[in-house]
Amino acid sequence: MARVSTARGFAWPAPAKLNLFLHVTGRRADGYHELQTLFQFLDFGDELYFTPRGDGVITRTGGSPDVAEADDLVVRAARLLQKASGTGLGADIKLVKRIPLGGGLGGGSSDAATTLMGLNRLWNLGFPTDEIAALGLRLGADVPVFVRGQAAWAEGVGERLMPMKPPERWYLVVAPEAQVSTAEIFGAPELKRDCLPVTYEDFLAGKTSNVCEPATLRRYPAVAEAMEWLRAWGQPRMSGTGASVFVDFETEAQAHKAGNKVPGQWRHFVARGLNQSPLVGIMRAA
């Protein structure tokens, strides 16, 4: 996906992500969990359109009807950037939502990152990427990886990022009708919180997993059903705390062959893994 010119203006991409694995290595005194994970982007996601305005007003159209405008991360991101910069400018923001809510694909975080990066450019603020990433962390642990736009090995609460280049395979992603509560899963008493640290080589050798799967599958039968169905096509994994589950393929044709068999009650899509977000190319060209 890339920014394209349309009748509505330029479409700024907000790509989905996958957690290719997810381990919890500990729990901090403040209640946050220490993680190890590997983020990779997808060539599938939301689109945002920005129209700057001079009166400081921030509006949002589109998006999900289940999310109030004031609570939407795009609005919160725009207002955070306003406050940090002291600008008197505003924006009308149109959000075309494709990434499922509560699916573990990072849709809200990606939308926030694209808003921060796009308005930083359109308002001519000149914040460097490091400062934008720091602002993004105040909105969510996943926002910085979308700001930086590189597939990354993440540790801490997800804010310590090391760029990586995992294989850019094709994925069939299945999103059952469930909105998984991240807080519920991380609060589950059975969640494994004492994983030993692993390396990227361990990931390549198949020695990693998603430790959130047992808690999610137990609480969300639709996710468990989708995961079981995917086993016919390979080794399925869950992204984040779910609900989305996925399996990888060598070729696009293989992924679509499996996608054509997905039961009608499940939303699904085929996408290519990307080690560089399409937002990076746009920021360089803009």
Side-chain angles (χ1 to χ4, degrees):
M1 56 186 297
R3 191 181 71 164
V4 296
S5 180
T6 74
R8 293 173 292 186
F10 282 110
W12 292 74
K17 60 82 178 170
L18 293 177
N19 294 88
L20 299 184
F21 82 96
L22 177 58
H23 287 186
V24 180
T25 57
R27 193 170 192 174
R28 307 190 319 192
D30 60 9
Y32 285 94
H33 289 79
E34 295 278 350
L35 309 174
Q36 284 190 307
T37 191
L38 180 59
F39 291 109
Q40 189 177 51
F41 307 105
L42 296 176
D43 64 349
F44 171 90
D46 298 340
E47 291 180 347
L48 291 103
Y49 300 82
F50 303 107
T51 303
R53 49 191 296 165
D55 58 5
V57 173
I58 302 291
T59 71
R60 182 220 66 185
T61 57
S64 171
D66 297 327
V67 179
E69 182 174 341
D71 296 331
D72 198 312
L73 277 172
V74 300
V75 175
R76 292 172 55 195
R79 290 177 176 163
L80 179 62
L81 189 62
Q82 270 185 329
K83 183 176 181 180
S85 65
T87 184
L89 298 175
D92 295 322
I93 305 171
K94 180 174 178 59
L95 172 59
V96 178
K97 195 73 186 158
R98 298 190 180 94
I99 302 174
L101 290 177
L105 300 175
S109 295
S110 187
D111 295 340
T114 296
T115 299
L116 291 171
M117 296 294 281
L119 291 181
N120 182 52
R121 178 61 58 89
L122 295 172
W123 287 345
N124 294 312
L125 301 179
F127 279 109
T129 300
D130 285 349
E131 291 189 35
I132 295 293
L135 284 175
L137 185 59
R138 294 162 59 180
L139 296 167
D142 288 352
V143 178
V145 73
F146 288 106
V147 168
R148 298 190 182 280
Q150 302 293 326
W153 183 275
E155 298 188 352
V157 296
E159 85 286 3
R160 297 202 304 268
L161 302 172
M162 181 183 301
M164 289 289 178
K165 294 183 178 180
E168 292 182 320
R169 294 173 66 84
W170 286 92
Y171 298 100
L172 169 61
V173 182
V174 175
E177 288 294 327
Q179 290 190 31
V180 173
S181 167
T182 297
E184 177 187 16
I185 301 307
F186 276 110
E190 73 271 30
L191 178 67
K192 182 176 175 57
R193 297 180 172 88
D194 59 353
C195 295
L196 295 176
V198 295
T199 65
Y200 181 64
E201 288 69 28
D202 291 325
F203 164 76
L204 292 176
K207 298 178 181 179
T208 57
S209 64
N210 185 334
V211 298
C212 295
E213 286 177 10
T216 299
L217 301 184
R218 184 172 294 115
R219 289 164 175 77
Y220 295 87
V223 182
E225 185 181 0
M227 179 80 86
E228 187 60 32
W229 183 87
L230 277 175
R231 293 190 193 282
W233 300 97
Q235 179 57 53
R237 287 167 280 173
M238 188 176 74
S239 185
T241 55
S244 297
V245 293
F246 64 95
V247 68
D248 63 273
F249 297 89
E250 290 285 350
T251 69
E252 182 180 12
Q254 291 170 338
H256 279 293
K257 180 180 179 180
N260 291 336
K261 304 290 186 179
V262 174
Q265 73 266 29
W266 295 328
R267 181 178 175 184
H268 69 280
F269 60 88
V270 168
R272 180 75 181 266
L274 300 175
N275 290 335
Q276 184 177 89
S277 166
L279 188 60
V280 172
I282 286 169
M283 297 308 298
R284 290 174 177 167

